[in-house]
């Protein structure tokens, strides 16, 4: 009798243990597909950020994120159930708790307009029309897009710090042929650009006294705080300092006649360094295109190899300069350069760093899905307008038909 009682107690304890294990398993992965529960160690669930409830759960592999120069970035192939292959969701460190829940929404695109209005170094509205046509049809689709233009006098702050900053850039895009048309009809060509974008349901932001780069950096930070991923559409390398698991760049590639995504993975492969060190690296090496001199002009032996080695060890320019002020951080030439030209490097940092405190606030309706139904008609009408005679006028025919050029 005692043996039977002991056996019953043993079975009961085993049953309770099994129930306890199952309860923990189901609690941790309640929204996983039961058929895939054997993959539990390799997946993590992400909730809908608005409600905190399981309405839009996705699975990702918790690979190490590229938080140091020796770590690899998350590959697009690690994503599951995400529509476009080019979308990249932030990787989760393997040290993260598998029960932690991170908020993620969709993508928001930021269109850096001014560089798209050039073909090489020559202003070209045909180039603008070409690139936004490819962008809308192949990249952003109906994801929200926010276009940003340079404000008048946007360079003045940086030029006061460094007179050579962008001294070789053309001040404003002008369409040469526009001079033949009445100013009352057209004005500056960037007004045409704004009209095209607005008719394609793209809000356009232009803040006087600020460059588009700073406005984009400010808005990117705001959408990230709302749980969105940001994609910056621009050929401008200044935006590489913003790259993270939540921020990508998509670059127009004239030689391939398409847009190409640039992510943490691509940055690490190109520079063998963490994107967080990008700004510090450029401050040391300078930026010839933007008219920012590097330290190699003052100390010829201080090049990319030395800069990368020091930044990998110290992480940032300020950390490096602070260390060099109290002890030796490298060879004598590097040590002397960092102590003698510390102010020079800090000035470069002030000039090259993107500001994130511009007085602009993201509006909720900017984050809505974009109606793309009239894109092709509007862009075709714009191209038609560009080919018309000097007496042409561009007008709205109807919301459904977009724009019409008439003579």
């Amino acid at each position: 009798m005692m043996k039977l009682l002991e056996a019953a107690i043993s079975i009961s304890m085993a049953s309770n243990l099994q129930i306890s294990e199952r309860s923990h398993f189901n609690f941790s992965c309640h929204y996983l597909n039961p058929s895939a529960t054997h993959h539990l160690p390799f997946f993590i669930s992400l909730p809908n950020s608005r409600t905190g409830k399981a309405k839009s759960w996705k699975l990702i592999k918790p690979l190490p994120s590229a938080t140091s120069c020796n770590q690899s970035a998350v590959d697009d192939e690690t994503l599951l159930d995400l529509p476009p292959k080019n979308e990249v969701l932030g990787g989760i460190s393997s040290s993260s708790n598998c029960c932690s829940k991170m908020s993620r929404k969709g993508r928001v695109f930021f269109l850096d307009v001014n560089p798209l209005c050039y073909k090489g170094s020559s202003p070209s509205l045909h180039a603008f029309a070409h690139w936004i046509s490819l962008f809308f049809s192949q990249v952003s689709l109906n994801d929200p897009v926010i276009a940003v233009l340079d404000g008048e006098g946007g360079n003045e702050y940086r030029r006061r710090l460094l007179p050579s900053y962008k001294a070789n850039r053309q001040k404003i895009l002008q369409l040469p042929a526009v001079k033949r048309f009445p100013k009352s009809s057209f004005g500056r060509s960037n007004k045409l650009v704004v009209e095209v974008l607005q008719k394609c349901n793209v809000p356009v932001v232009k803040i006087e006294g600020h460059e588009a780069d700073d406005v984009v950096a400010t808005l990117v930070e705001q959408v990230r705080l709302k749980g969105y991923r940001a994609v910056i559409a621009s050929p401008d390398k200044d935006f590489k300092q913003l790259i993270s698991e939540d921020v990508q760049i998509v670059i127009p590639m004239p030689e391939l006649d398409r847009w190409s995504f640039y992510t943490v993975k691509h940055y690490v492969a190109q520079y063998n360094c963490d994107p967080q060190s990008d700004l510090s690296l450029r401050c040391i090496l300078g930026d010839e295109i933007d008219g920012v001199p590097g330290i190699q002009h003052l100390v010829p032996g201080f090049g990319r190899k030395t800069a990368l080695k020091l930044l990998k060890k110290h992480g940032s320019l300020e950390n490096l300069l602070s260390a060099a002020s109290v002890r030796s951080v490298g060879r004598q030439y590097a040590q002397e350069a960092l102590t003698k030209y510390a102010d020079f490097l800090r000035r470069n940092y002030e000039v090259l760093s993107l500001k994130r405190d511009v007085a602009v606030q993201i509006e909720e309706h900017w984050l809505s899905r974009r109606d793309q139904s009239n894109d092709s008609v509007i862009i075709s009408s714009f191209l038609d307008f560009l080919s018309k005679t000097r007496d042409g006028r561009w007008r709205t025919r109807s919301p459904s038909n977009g724009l019409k050029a008439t003579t």
Side-chain angles (χ1 to χ4, degrees):
M1 187 71 177
M2 289 295 295
K3 290 183 178 180
L4 289 173
L5 181 58
E6 290 175 357
I9 293 173
S10 176
I11 292 171
S12 175
M13 290 176 64
S15 176
N16 288 337
L17 178 61
Q18 185 175 10
I19 291 171
S20 176
E21 289 176 347
R22 285 177 180 173
S23 298
H24 175 73
F25 177 84
N26 289 334
F27 174 78
S28 301
C29 304
H30 184 69
Y31 297 102
L32 290 176
N33 188 324
S35 64
T37 53
H38 62 282
H39 294 306
L40 174 61
F42 305 99
F43 294 92
I44 186 170
S45 300
L46 303 179
N48 181 294
S49 59
R50 291 183 180 178
T51 62
K53 299 178 182 179
K55 289 189 176 181
S56 59
W57 292 72
K58 293 178 172 46
L59 305 177
I60 65 169
K61 295 182 182 179
L63 296 180
S65 60
T67 56
S68 72
C69 297
N70 296 323
Q71 290 178 314
S72 61
V74 174
D75 192 302
D76 294 1
E77 296 295 333
T78 64
L79 301 179
L80 298 179
D81 301 329
L82 291 178
K85 183 177 178 181
N86 285 328
E87 291 194 27
V88 176
L89 192 63
I92 308 302
S93 171
S94 57
S95 62
S96 299
N97 187 334
C98 70
C99 298
S100 65
K101 300 176 181 180
M102 298 178 61
S103 300
R104 289 293 185 274
K105 297 182 182 179
R107 300 181 301 182
V108 178
F109 285 86
F110 292 90
L111 189 64
D112 183 18
V113 176
N114 293 78
L116 303 181
C117 298
Y118 287 82
K119 185 175 183 179
S121 59
S122 302
S124 171
L125 289 181
H126 282 90
F128 164 76
H130 175 73
W131 285 115
I132 64 164
S133 177
L134 292 178
F135 177 73
F136 289 151
S137 63
Q138 299 179 9
V139 180
S140 66
L141 304 178
N142 67 343
D143 282 336
V145 178
I146 301 169
V148 183
L149 287 164
D150 285 329
E152 297 290 346
N155 293 338
E156 294 308 311
Y157 166 74
R158 290 178 170 92
R159 281 182 176 164
R160 284 196 298 269
L161 294 172
L162 183 64
S164 64
Y165 178 72
K166 292 188 178 180
N168 59 338
R169 298 284 186 92
Q170 296 188 45
K171 257 187 109 174
I172 191 169
L173 170 66
Q174 292 282 352
L175 179 65
V178 165
K179 295 178 181 178
R180 300 180 306 181
F181 297 96
K183 289 185 178 180
S184 58
S185 299
F186 300 106
R188 290 177 176 173
S189 59
N190 61 352
K191 292 183 179 179
L192 302 180
V193 168
V194 170
E195 187 175 354
V196 171
L197 292 169
Q198 290 177 337
K199 290 183 182 300
C200 289
N201 301 302
V202 174
V204 178
V205 182
K206 179 180 179 181
I207 308 297
E208 300 305 317
H210 292 281
E211 292 187 77
D213 299 11
D214 295 326
V215 178
V216 169
T218 299
L219 294 176
V220 163
E221 189 66 20
Q222 292 178 17
V223 299
R224 285 183 65 249
L225 292 175
K226 291 177 177 288
Y228 292 91
R229 289 166 289 146
V231 185
I232 302 168
S234 174
D236 194 339
K237 61 184 178 298
D238 293 349
F239 288 119
K240 289 183 179 180
Q241 64 187 267
L242 301 180
I243 286 181
S244 69
E245 298 295 349
D246 296 322
V247 182
Q248 301 176 346
I249 301 175
V250 61
I251 304 171
M253 308 289 287
E255 63 275 16
L256 301 176
D257 197 33
R258 66 177 177 85
W259 291 83
S260 180
F261 278 81
Y262 189 92
T263 68
V264 169
K265 174 184 69 175
H266 301 100
Y267 186 94
V268 174
Q270 182 178 2
Y271 296 103
N272 191 30
C273 192
D274 190 318
Q276 292 182 2
S277 299
D278 177 78
L279 177 58
S280 297
L281 180 63
R282 290 180 61 220
C283 291
I284 296 173
L285 301 180
D287 188 326
E288 185 177 350
I289 294 177
D290 284 350
V292 180
I295 201 170
Q296 67 270 22
H297 295 288
L298 304 171
V299 185
F302 203 133
R304 176 180 292 273
K305 185 177 179 180
T306 301
L308 281 173
K309 181 179 179 180
L310 292 171
L311 288 174
K312 283 184 179 182
K313 183 177 180 180
H314 296 277
S316 70
L317 176 63
E318 191 55 43
N319 289 344
L320 176 58
L321 294 177
S322 297
S325 67
V326 296
R327 60 182 173 83
S328 177
V329 296
R331 294 185 178 182
Q332 185 176 355
Y333 76 90
Q335 178 68 26
E336 291 178 353
L338 292 171
T339 53
K340 184 177 181 179
Y341 299 111
D343 291 341
F344 170 89
L345 293 171
R346 287 191 172 101
R347 183 205 61 186
N348 279 3
Y349 189 93
E350 185 72 12
V351 170
L352 292 172
S353 60
L354 299 183
K355 311 304 177 188
R356 308 180 192 193
D357 57 356
V358 177
V360 59
Q361 192 65 37
I362 202 83
E363 297 186 18
E364 285 298 325
H365 67 272
W366 295 354
L367 306 177
S368 302
R369 290 286 181 180
R370 188 180 68 84
D371 181 0
Q372 60 182 127
S373 58
N374 293 324
D375 288 357
S376 59
V377 173
I378 293 166
I379 295 172
S380 294
S381 296
F382 180 53
L383 288 170
D384 184 47
F385 156 74
L386 295 178
S387 66
K388 291 297 178 179
T389 66
R390 62 190 182 93
D391 296 321
R393 288 186 295 107
W394 197 34
R395 71 182 186 188
T396 302
R397 190 170 68 180
S398 70
S400 61
N401 293 323
L403 307 168
K404 179 184 179 183
T406 60
T407 58

